[in-house]
Amino acid sequence: MGRARRDIYAGRHIQFDNRISEDGGNKTRRTWKPNVQQKRLFSYILDRHIRVKVTTHALRCIDKTGGVDEYFLKTPYHKLDTELGLFWKAKIEKLYEELGKMKVVFFSPEDEQKFEQGFKELKLSEREAHREFRRKMYAGMKEHKQMEREHKDEPSIDEGSRGTEHEYEEQLAAVSYELAADNLEAGSLVANY
């Protein structure tokens, strides 16, 4: 299992034994390989998923210990005999040591409620700003369409009066730029609708 040294096997390896025939008891050598699956395991200390090949026995061990972080911390080194297992065990132990040195601050329930209320108000204000932006955008589009309709209803322009058509297009462009500028505010996001 040379290339498989990069995976998590939890002490499982290839097993060798004999296949015995029913007729004469003839023995032939055979192997049993571990049941290896490709999985994404979430690590809370790293705050991301780890994509790894892992045996089903290791998955049961991970579930039993309460997660991949706890599995790496609680499992002895001889069960993590692969390179990847030893690497992740050392990395997570180091991160937990750093986490243990950090200071923890607890907030009172009143302060936590204030924080939650502030986040809710911020989210509501963002939603209201998006609604207002859409309202102004669609109102500007209606005015633009109304001007186009009025322009189509006018009698056709003959070749001699090309300047008036050009002036009208400039006027339409100026109105659309004004509408776009009215809709934009400082710090607002510009999205393609």
Side-chain angles (χ1 to χ4, degrees), residues 17-153:
D17 203 358
N18 295 319
R19 177 182 288 131
I20 302 172
S21 66
E22 293 179 6
D23 301 343
N26 299 331
K27 295 179 181 179
T28 54
R29 295 299 284 175
R30 66 154 294 181
T31 61
W32 283 272
K33 294 181 181 176
N35 186 1
V36 180
Q37 305 290 325
Q38 177 86 20
K39 292 289 179 183
R40 275 179 39 188
L41 305 172
F42 187 75
S43 170
Y44 288 101
I45 190 74
L46 299 172
D47 195 29
R48 68 181 183 95
H49 286 278
I50 302 169
R51 187 175 292 275
V52 67
K53 287 184 180 177
V54 61
T55 60
T56 52
H57 174 69
L59 283 174
R60 286 194 303 274
C61 293
I62 289 169
D63 287 340
K64 187 176 180 180
T65 56
V68 71
D69 298 331
E70 288 79 14
Y71 171 74
F72 283 126
L73 290 174
K74 295 176 183 176
T75 307
Y77 280 98
H78 71 274
K79 275 201 161 188
L80 291 174
D81 57 351
T82 60
E83 296 168 5
L84 184 76
L86 296 174
F87 169 76
W88 282 111
K89 183 174 176 72
K91 187 169 187 175
I92 288 176
E93 283 178 346
K94 181 181 175 187
L95 289 171
Y96 265 96
E97 283 178 21
E98 292 173 2
L99 187 65
K101 294 175 184 175
M102 295 174 79
K103 292 183 179 179
V104 179
V105 178
F106 293 102
F107 294 104
S108 66
E110 295 85 20
D111 289 339
E112 287 183 8
Q113 287 179 348
K114 287 179 185 176
F115 291 142
E116 288 178 13
Q117 186 65 27
F119 286 126
K120 285 180 184 176
E121 290 174 0
L122 180 66
K123 198 165 195 175
L124 290 174
S125 65
E126 282 182 9
R127 286 183 184 168
E128 187 60 36
H130 283 283
R131 280 192 201 120
E132 187 64 31
F133 175 76
R134 281 191 220 110
R135 237 182 259 132
K136 286 182 179 179
M137 181 75 102
Y138 290 130
M141 287 180 168
K142 286 180 183 177
E143 291 176 10
H144 187 73
K145 287 181 181 179
Q146 183 68 27
M147 288 181 69
E148 284 182 354
R149 283 190 205 125
E150 290 174 3
H151 179 66
K152 287 181 182 177
D153 292 341

Side-chain angles (χ1 to χ4, degrees), residues 136-137 139-148 150 167-183:
K136 286 182 179 179
M137 181 75 102
M141 287 180 168
K142 286 180 183 177
E143 291 176 10
H144 187 73
K145 287 181 181 179
Q146 183 68 27
M147 288 181 69
E148 284 182 354
E150 290 174 3
E167 290 171 5
Y168 176 75
E169 289 175 358
E170 287 180 358
Q171 182 184 5
L172 273 178
V175 168
S176 62
Y177 285 131
E178 287 175 15
L179 290 173
D182 290 343
N183 292 336

